[in-house]
Amino acid sequence: MQELIKRRHAYWGWSQDEWQDVLAPSEGEFHKRYGCHGNCRQYVIAIAYRLGNFDSLEQIGTFFQYRLALKVFGRKEVDATAKRVRDEMRSVGLRTEVPCGLKQALYSALLYQRSGRLEDITVETMRRVVSSKLDSTRTGAAALSRVLVRLGIIEKGFCLWQEGRRRPPNERQASEDVPSEWLAWCDRWRTTATLAPSSVTSTYYGILKCGRWLGDRHPDICSPEQWDRPLALEYAAAAMKMRIGDWSTPIGSATGRKGEPIKPAAIAAHLRCIRAFFSDLQEWEWIAPRFAPAQTLVPSRAILAKIGPSPRVIADDIWAKLIWAALNLTESDLQARSKRKGWADQPLRHPPAMVRAVAILWLFGGLRRDEIHRMRVGAIRWSPMPEGPDTPQVCLLDVPVNKTSRAFTKPVDPIVGTAIEAWEAERLPHPRDVDIKTGERVDWLFVHKGRRMSAAYINRSLIPLLCAKAGLPETDARGRITSHRARATIATQLFNAKEPLSLFELQAWLGHASPQATQYYAAITPTKLARSFDRAGYFERNVRTIEVLIDQAARRTPGDAPAEPWQYYDLGHGYCTYDFFDQCAHRMACAKCSFYQPKASARMQALEAGGNLKRMLQEIPLTDTERDAVEDGARMMANLAAGLERIPTPDGRTPQQIEAEGKGDL
């Protein structure tokens, strides 16, 4: 009433600013100004909210949201809504008592929505709650959004680091320093592109960097329509000379490496983004095709030559220690890590069975990080071996749709199935969620207390945990140990096993679209290469060649005397002295050229041949089958001899000439 008399007009006509001035920034200032105490301010807030249509509650400091909600909605409705949230949290394994921050977020959402019903809360209202100045309320709002998703009230929950993050005043936005017209083209392309969200984001930041370069070097060119072939070639040359930090915002962790050369693969990826941007604009007929992006915006041959398969395989000893750490992971290891992080008094975020299942799947599954993150309940199946019912069962893993192939099934070690089934037995049922890759509602495997495992959990939490237990550093000779390096390590071990997988089998197991992609993961180990080199017998082969050459030189007759044969091939009825016997066309039916030498027992062979002729003159009764076999063999030998009649022997004469000379001698 004091303020009504002072302002000289009715309170139901006061503006938002007037009500904010009346309520004061805090309860202490309110009591000091009006000389009151107790719950006076709380009742004035209720009057302002209910009768004055005041809703700028975030501007009046701290107050009891629950008490205000009771005054405007009634105790029965407010407590029923809170009980519904509490029961849903208990159903997914959360603790009995609802956190204070979540309560504040719930009552704030009801007050902002001006309704005591949970179903009336909208996404816009939740965004308003997330923007609160109190960290506890912001954290509670993120948890409440996940509750509303599970109840089917809103479609998507909020990530605290994305929705409510407050950037430092000196941090530059990603679009800063980009010409406005070029930025408009970039935003238009971003809203039209149909690529994967991650591909759209990476391409968007690449074309923003191109816009900064354009504003620096060619401020008169602000539109893609003005680009021609010389400008495209100039930018391609500039991109190949870029260094880290050139024409980019200081957002990210690479500021400490500023000024260092960019890797060849990064240069090729950046030009690929610009090439895709201009190709889309020309294909969509937004700009006239004044140059060919596929021919101009490409890296040089020198850069492409530096890009090739180089799997970052983890050493066998380090890999074995990581496997040991995963197989022996206990709850005390998780608690020790929580204590190191300063969360000693907090419950474990993930239960040991879930952490163990993720670790075993990472170390034995050969999967991408996204495939592990999107693994579904019931992904493990057991199938008997085809040999018979008594053979052990094979563990089959259903891999979800990935970036290069459709969903497929592959065999894995039985320990993977055992670990996943142990977690499924302990896991509480959760509502289904939408898979952004397929658009279908699925039951995620790695979810606990209504919260899905983060996509970065393996790199940020699991690998440091296993390295700490195994007493290993988080980096090795090839750099930081990451989730994707396990895929290359497993592929290399399968490719170099005692009974290795072939390249095509490994391609199917990894889920690659082509064997060329598999070559970037499988590397031949030095041990296998050494065994293959030893089996090739390079040294022994050359030693044998040296022995043959030395023996040949020693057996040759020096001087003008005719050379003596130094090597003989036994034909049964004689010897062939031709050095290249394996290349002679008559080796199966010798024509007895000048390289032929009869054995010493030629007389005995002649007598034996005469006896054979006499026996052949005798009548030998043969069956039809035996006669066919004899005639077929004789016919084949006759055909072989007839085919070699005109083929020269090693000394240059044909069999016909040798036979004619033999008759002349007779």
Side-chain angles (χ1 to χ4, degrees), residues 255-312:
T255 54
R257 300 169 50 207
K258 188 174 182 179
E260 296 182 5
I262 300 179
K263 294 182 179 179
I267 295 174
H270 177 68
L271 289 177
R272 184 166 55 249
C273 296
I274 310 302
R275 188 165 61 248
F277 174 67
F278 279 99
S279 297
D280 289 342
L281 296 187
Q282 293 180 6
E283 184 178 355
W284 299 339
E285 298 182 353
W286 290 1
I287 62 175
R290 303 179 61 186
F291 68 97
Q295 299 177 359
T296 54
L297 296 171
V298 293
S300 63
R301 293 183 180 179
I303 292 179
L304 293 176
K306 300 176 183 177
I307 304 174
S310 180
R312 297 175 61 204

Side-chain angles (χ1 to χ4, degrees), residues 616-632:
M616 291 175 62
L617 295 176
Q618 299 176 1
E619 269 193 38
I620 301 176
L622 299 175
T623 63
D624 295 339
T625 304
E626 292 173 340
R627 185 178 300 278
D628 293 339
V630 171
E631 292 177 354
D632 185 59

Side-chain angles (χ1 to χ4, degrees), residues 385 387 490-503 505-506 528 531 535:
M385 290 286 286
E387 283 78 4
I490 298 174
T492 299
Q493 291 187 1
L494 293 176
F495 188 67
N496 294 275
K498 186 176 181 181
E499 296 182 3
L501 270 67
S502 65
L503 185 63
E505 292 172 340
L506 195 59
K528 180 180 180 180
R531 287 198 301 264
R535 288 195 299 268

